[in-house]
Amino acid sequence: MLLAVLVLQYVAPRLGLPPAVALLVGGGALAFVPGLPTIDLDPNLVLVIFLPPLLMDGAWFTALAPFRRHLSGIASLAVGAVLFTAAAVAIVTKLAVPELPWAACVALGAIVSPPDAVSARAVLQRVKLPRRLGTLLEGESLLNDATGLVLFRFAVAAVITGSFSLGEAIGSFAYLVSGGIVVGGVIGAVWILLLRRLADEHLMVAASVLVCWMSYIAGEMVHVSGVISTVVAGLVCGWYQHVVLTASVRVRALSSWQAMIFLLEAAVFILIGLSLRGVIDRVGGIGIVVQDMAWSVAAIIAAVILARFAWIFGSDALLGLLNRAGFRTAEPLGPRAASVMSWAGMRGVVTLAVALTLPETMPGRDLMLVSAFAVILVTVLVQGTTLGLVIRLAGLQEDERSKPPLDLHSAEASMLKAQFEEVQRVAYSPDGSLLHPRLLDSYRRRATISTEFSGSDEDRAQDIAAHYGVILAAVAAGRAELVRLHRAHQIDDETLHDLERDLDLEELVALAARG
């Protein structure tokens, strides 16, 4: 499977495909290769292994200020859109299959209604969106699984027991969310205290990696939302990691974390594809799917896609009416941005894993499994491959008001000035003699270099690229000489690694500065 991940990830951009699409199709093809075992996923294990780190990764790097500013819009998508889509799917399912009980129809709606965090990340990280839209979609993908999972549990319980209480459902949802916030906050606080006391860098990296599973499992153990707990812990850790982690730990942890997330994301789509054979075998073969379920599944897919359009455009129209009435709580997105938001509704591993947890006695279970898989395939293969085109056609422009007061160039100049002032303060002895002339000259040079890159943004970008291009060429020459000395047995391995690390850091700085 890992070999397939490497091959498909390499091939995807050369075929003009998003990697998620290539992995999903490749996994589906592998499922039918003779001699390979049938993949039978344990859905609870899939959720525990894959969901916490992928949620944590999104929350860790979430900008907290925009997240808070757009929280009402995020909640509208993560709660309102999920419930509305579930209701629409339930109605369509009931019309298509009248013999199914309403609770079973709602359960199917809960399965396919929340867009998936993994699918959203896989597509959104390769397209450029205005800040507001990016914040809304990323925030939605972090929180909507909690809504779908709670609704699913109540729907399944209603099928089994034959009773349902709306008040109990609302109260339980409030308890799960508030409890998840508390547990996530506590886990985040424990992580901060722990990191400040650990002296071993390996332990600090391990604690930073394991906090996602700690928060998810702790939330589930006390019967609150593990999704919310993980997201809150990730927001807390991401906010404080800049002051808790050392530079060395941050570089090490980020490298190992990114490699792990890459493999987990890729494995998710491969496993979804590999599970296709098992889903088809469960329902009696592809002939049964085409003959008995094709029209019902097509109607459910249409309901999933159109319901999102209806909710987003309806909410945007309501915002417009409120704005015209004098209520300036939020500005409407506009039809072009709303179209992009509506089209970005890919489903993934959570939809499949939840569908696989359906009890064997659930009415319409086969239809639910096939519908869940079909929704994943259509949304990832169709919406995932065309989202970039939709964004380009929409011609979205960044809202200037959403930009921070300082750009990268100004912030860097302010940082370098502060560094120079600190070095200048300690560079002289009490009697006025200069103790660190080379350091003072170096930091003075760095603090004033930003003034040399003047002019328009385009001119400055060209000057910076040329400047750091020379530095990168010097790094490459130094690296070649270092390797030559090592191959000629003039330096040992320890010297090679020490100097190579210095070159690596210099190269990373130059690459980041060049942009």
Side-chain angles (χ1 to χ4, degrees):
M1 185 183 72
L2 294 178
L3 177 61
V5 165
L6 296 178
V7 172
L8 292 169
Q9 194 84 19
Y10 176 80
V11 168
R14 287 154 181 80
L15 298 178
L17 293 174
V21 173
L23 291 164
L24 187 59
V25 173
L30 286 174
F32 294 95
V33 173
L36 290 184
T38 300
I39 302 298
D40 188 16
L41 298 179
D42 181 339
N44 293 313
L45 189 60
V46 167
L47 287 178
V48 170
I49 290 177
F50 291 100
L51 192 56
L54 297 173
L55 286 172
M56 175 67 72
D57 187 59
W60 188 287
F61 297 103
T62 292
L64 203 54
F67 184 86
R68 286 200 303 260
R69 186 163 59 251
H70 298 298
L71 187 57
S72 58
I74 292 171
S76 171
L77 292 168
V79 180
V82 169
L83 295 178
F84 181 79
T85 303
V89 170
I91 293 170
V92 169
T93 305
K94 186 66 176 177
L95 293 174
V97 190
E99 63 271 18
L100 273 185
W102 272 108
C105 297
V106 173
L108 175 56
I111 291 171
V112 298
S113 57
D116 184 59
V118 184
S119 300
R121 275 178 46 84
V123 174
L124 292 177
Q125 65 189 0
R126 290 172 174 82
V127 298
K128 184 172 180 59
L129 284 173
R131 286 182 177 85
R132 183 184 179 189
L133 265 63
T135 300
L136 289 172
L137 289 172
E138 290 170 4
E140 176 197 15
S141 70
L142 291 175
L143 301 178
N144 58 14
D145 289 334
T147 305
L149 290 171
V150 171
L151 181 61
F152 173 77
R153 291 173 186 172
F154 272 93
V156 171
V159 172
I160 295 173
T161 63
S163 62
F164 175 76
S165 169
L166 180 60
E168 182 182 351
I170 293 174
S172 177
F173 181 75
Y175 167 75
L176 290 169
V177 171
S178 58
I181 293 173
V182 171
V183 172
V186 170
I187 295 293
V190 170
W191 177 83
I192 294 169
L193 294 174
L194 182 65
L195 265 289
R196 284 176 171 166
R197 285 162 175 76
L198 288 176
D200 188 291
E201 290 190 351
H202 293 92
L203 293 178
M204 296 173 76
V205 172
S208 300
V209 171
L210 294 176
V211 68
C212 60
W213 285 290
M214 292 167 57
S215 54
Y216 184 86
I217 294 173
E220 293 296 315
M221 285 179 64
V222 298
H223 306 294
V224 298
S225 173
V227 171
I228 299 296
S229 173
T230 306
V231 170
V232 171
L235 292 173
V236 172
C237 295
W239 179 260
Y240 283 98
Q241 57 102 0
H242 307 289
V243 295
V244 173
L245 298 180
T246 65
S248 175
V249 170
R250 185 158 40 249
V251 170
R252 291 186 181 187
L254 185 60
S255 298
S256 58
W257 180 261
Q258 287 176 335
M260 183 183 74
I261 292 298
F262 164 75
L263 291 175
L264 287 176
E265 281 186 348
V268 162
F269 290 106
I270 286 282
L271 288 172
I272 291 174
L274 288 172
S275 65
L276 172 61
R277 181 176 170 184
V279 170
I280 292 177
D281 289 343
R282 280 191 188 92
V283 301
I286 192 68
I288 298 295
V289 173
V290 174
Q291 179 179 341
D292 297 342
M293 303 180 186
W295 290 108
S296 299
V297 171
I300 290 166
I301 293 172
V304 168
I305 295 173
L306 294 177
R308 183 173 177 86
F309 273 87
W311 178 266
I312 291 176
F313 273 88
S315 302
D316 211 45
L318 179 60
L319 275 179
L321 291 174
L322 291 174
N323 270 240
R324 285 193 290 273
F327 297 97
R328 300 284 178 179
T329 53
E331 292 187 9
L333 295 169
R336 292 186 297 175
S339 298
V340 172
M341 289 284 296
S342 301
W343 197 242
M346 291 70 67
R347 272 63 175 178
V349 65
V350 174
T351 292
L352 181 62
V354 173
L356 292 174
T357 64
L358 286 165
E360 294 289 342
T361 57
M362 171 66 73
R365 184 176 186 270
D366 290 347
L367 175 64
M368 294 182 185
L369 285 172
V370 173
S371 298
F373 204 96
V375 167
I376 295 170
L377 283 178
V378 170
T379 55
V380 173
L381 296 183
V382 177
Q383 293 179 309
T385 54
T386 58
L387 182 59
L389 175 62
V390 171
I391 293 172
R392 288 193 296 272
L393 292 176
L396 300 177
Q397 299 294 325
E398 184 67 72
D399 186 353
E400 294 296 323
R401 293 171 298 178
S402 67
K403 290 185 177 180
L406 295 180
D407 60 11
L408 176 63
H409 182 69
S410 302
E412 184 180 31
S414 179
M415 178 191 72
L416 293 173
K417 180 182 177 183
Q419 289 181 315
F420 171 65
E421 289 175 350
E422 176 61 21
V423 172
Q424 190 176 38
R425 185 182 66 82
V426 299
Y428 293 92
S429 65
D431 61 6
S433 59
L434 184 59
L435 298 176
H436 307 291
R438 286 189 297 275
L439 271 177
L440 186 62
D441 183 64
S442 173
Y443 276 90
R444 180 185 291 110
R445 171 67 178 159
R446 294 175 62 188
T448 57
I449 194 173
S450 61
T451 60
E452 299 178 7
F453 300 122
S454 57
S456 65
D457 289 343
E458 292 77 10
D459 294 337
R460 188 165 62 224
Q462 291 178 0
D463 292 342
I464 290 174
H467 175 87
Y468 286 103
V470 174
I471 293 178
L472 290 171
V475 169
R479 195 185 305 278
E481 175 64 11
L482 191 61
V483 172
R484 188 193 69 78
L485 292 173
H486 180 260
R487 299 298 185 264
H489 306 291
Q490 296 184 35
I491 59 174
D492 58 14
D493 283 37
E494 185 176 356
T495 302
L496 170 68
H497 293 312
D498 286 345
L499 294 177
E500 186 179 48
R501 183 178 63 249
D502 294 342
L503 288 174
D504 289 341
L505 293 175
E506 187 177 357
E507 181 176 344
L508 289 174
V509 171
L511 286 171
R514 188 181 64 173

